[in-house]
Amino acid sequence: MSIIEKAASRIDRQRSAATASPVGQIEAAALHSATEIPTVTVADTVIHDTVHAIPAAPAIANEQPAAPKVSTRRVELDLARMRDLGMVTAAGGRTSLLEDFRIIKRPLLQRAFGERKPGEKPGNLIMVTSSLPGEGKTYTAINLAMSIAMELDHTVLLVDADVARPSVLRTLGLPPQRGLMDILVDDKLDMGDVLLRTNVDTLSILPAGTSTPRATELLASSTMSNLVNEIANRYPDRIVIFDSPPLLLTSESRVLASHMGQIVMVVEAQTTTQHAVKEALSQLEGFNNVNLIYNKTRDLPGIEETYDYHYG
């Protein structure tokens, strides 16, 4: 047998072995020139196998979305300290302040769950603001939240949205925490990661979070719109109180107002000028359901400060 015949015989034997296993097929194909048979690589085989594994995906698409994360973070409000500071507490007895806020909250609650016209913002989103600092807006927001928390049919979320100068936690004697701004900056954070449950079972707190120079843009973002809609609609009995920055000092308050169904403006008696009030109200032109709380009034000398509620 010639050398050529022996080589041909060896190739025939290799071809016969190739039919016995996939690995043999790949080795036999390698003996042929690239112009005769396309080269088969291990990568081609892996991709081929992966493509055939895809039919399992539709079952995943039909799964129910994960349930909202429930916050397990809890803080203890010092209710005795709050009572001593003149704040509303359930155990504080029947005080004139408690009665004032019972009057203040009633029309807000009625609007919160009343019929909404097309395009109107949810009425259970209530912003508390003022013209200038020091008029009592944070004090009012906390007392309003505490008063609504005493209702039998409602829960309250108190949001510190005064992101430039957060004061809700400080007023309550609590340390700073992550909160609203952190959710808007980090899309991996859920509200359940930063929400604070309290020892008042019907009251939760969303802190302002980490300060950022982009606060106005973040509050105007679609992420904020989605978050506001989520917290407004997740629980049908919820009232959401936003402690807002003063209207005449920052741009955040007007942006925040665009998300709100109701706005409460606190006016400090005998201190805030009529010009400041008019200028602040001009910032809210075009917004419905703007109400005024006339704060720190004295009816007679020596009589304790009271709250008087007016509609604007």
Side-chain angles (χ1 to χ4, degrees):
M1 184 181 292
S2 67
I3 294 175
I4 295 176
E5 289 173 338
K6 289 180 180 179
S9 176
R10 185 166 58 253
I11 292 174
D12 288 338
R13 287 197 302 273
Q14 289 172 338
R15 284 177 176 170
S16 298
T19 60
S21 69
V23 175
Q25 293 175 9
I26 295 173
E27 291 176 347
L31 296 175
H32 295 268
S33 67
T35 58
E36 294 176 347
I37 300 177
T39 301
V40 181
T41 65
V42 175
D44 291 328
T45 305
V46 172
I47 293 172
H48 182 74
D49 291 342
T50 304
V51 170
H52 281 79
I54 289 178
I60 297 175
N62 292 329
E63 291 180 0
Q64 294 297 321
K69 186 182 293 186
V70 177
S71 172
T72 57
R73 303 176 68 208
R74 183 179 172 87
V75 294
E76 292 289 321
L77 300 180
D78 189 339
L79 300 179
R81 173 181 175 275
M82 292 175 65
R83 183 185 63 243
D84 292 343
L85 291 174
M87 295 184 183
V88 171
T89 62
R94 186 162 185 160
T95 64
S96 60
L97 182 66
L98 177 62
E99 291 304 309
D100 286 338
F101 275 96
R102 281 175 169 162
I103 297 171
I104 289 170
K105 71 181 177 181
R106 196 55 53 195
L108 296 173
L109 290 174
Q110 289 174 352
R111 290 198 202 98
F113 301 103
E115 185 175 351
R116 202 193 322 170
K117 297 177 181 178
E120 279 189 338
K121 301 297 182 182
N124 62 336
L125 300 176
I126 304 173
M127 181 178 102
V128 179
T129 188
S130 61
S131 304
L132 299 165
E135 298 191 67
K137 66 176 184 61
T138 299
Y139 181 79
T140 300
I142 293 173
N143 282 321
L144 181 58
M146 290 292 293
S147 181
I148 295 175
M150 295 169 63
E151 294 285 315
L152 300 179
D153 303 319
H154 300 296
T155 60
V156 186
L157 173 61
L158 175 59
V159 181
D160 191 347
D162 191 348
V163 294
R165 296 181 61 186
S167 52
V168 168
L169 294 186
R170 185 177 70 249
T171 303
L172 294 173
L174 299 172
Q177 306 272 356
R178 291 188 307 172
L180 176 61
M181 288 293 102
D182 300 280
I183 299 175
L184 297 179
V185 169
D186 186 353
D187 58 7
K188 293 184 177 63
L189 276 182
D190 184 83
M191 192 169 71
D193 296 321
V194 296
L195 192 68
L196 303 176
R197 304 289 180 183
T198 74
N199 50 321
V200 178
D201 292 340
T202 51
L203 173 67
S204 299
I205 301 172
L206 179 60
T210 307
S211 178
T212 170
R214 297 189 298 132
T216 299
E217 290 74 19
L218 289 168
L219 291 174
S221 68
S222 58
T223 303
M224 178 63 177
S225 296
N226 294 335
L227 177 64
V228 166
N229 287 331
E230 177 189 357
I231 63 179
N233 298 312
R234 179 179 288 186
Y235 301 108
D237 62 344
R238 173 184 276 175
I239 298 289
V240 189
I241 308 293
F242 290 81
D243 180 27
S244 162
L247 286 161
L248 298 184
L249 288 191
T250 71
S251 56
E252 289 101 331
S253 52
R254 182 172 175 83
V255 171
L256 189 64
S258 67
H259 300 291
M260 299 295 113
Q262 301 189 70
I263 298 172
V264 172
M265 192 173 90
V266 178
V267 179
E268 184 177 4
Q270 287 90 45
T271 301
T272 308
T273 65
Q274 188 177 41
H275 173 76
V277 173
K278 288 183 177 180
E279 184 65 23
L281 289 175
S282 71
Q283 299 289 318
L284 299 174
E285 188 174 353
F287 293 104
N288 296 324
N289 295 327
V290 178
N291 313 284
L292 301 182
I293 293 180
Y294 200 47
N295 188 22
K296 302 180 184 178
T297 63
R298 292 181 182 274
D299 295 331
L300 294 171
I303 301 297
E304 64 176 324
E305 292 177 349
T306 61
Y307 287 77
D308 190 16
Y309 189 57
H310 301 275
Y311 300 96

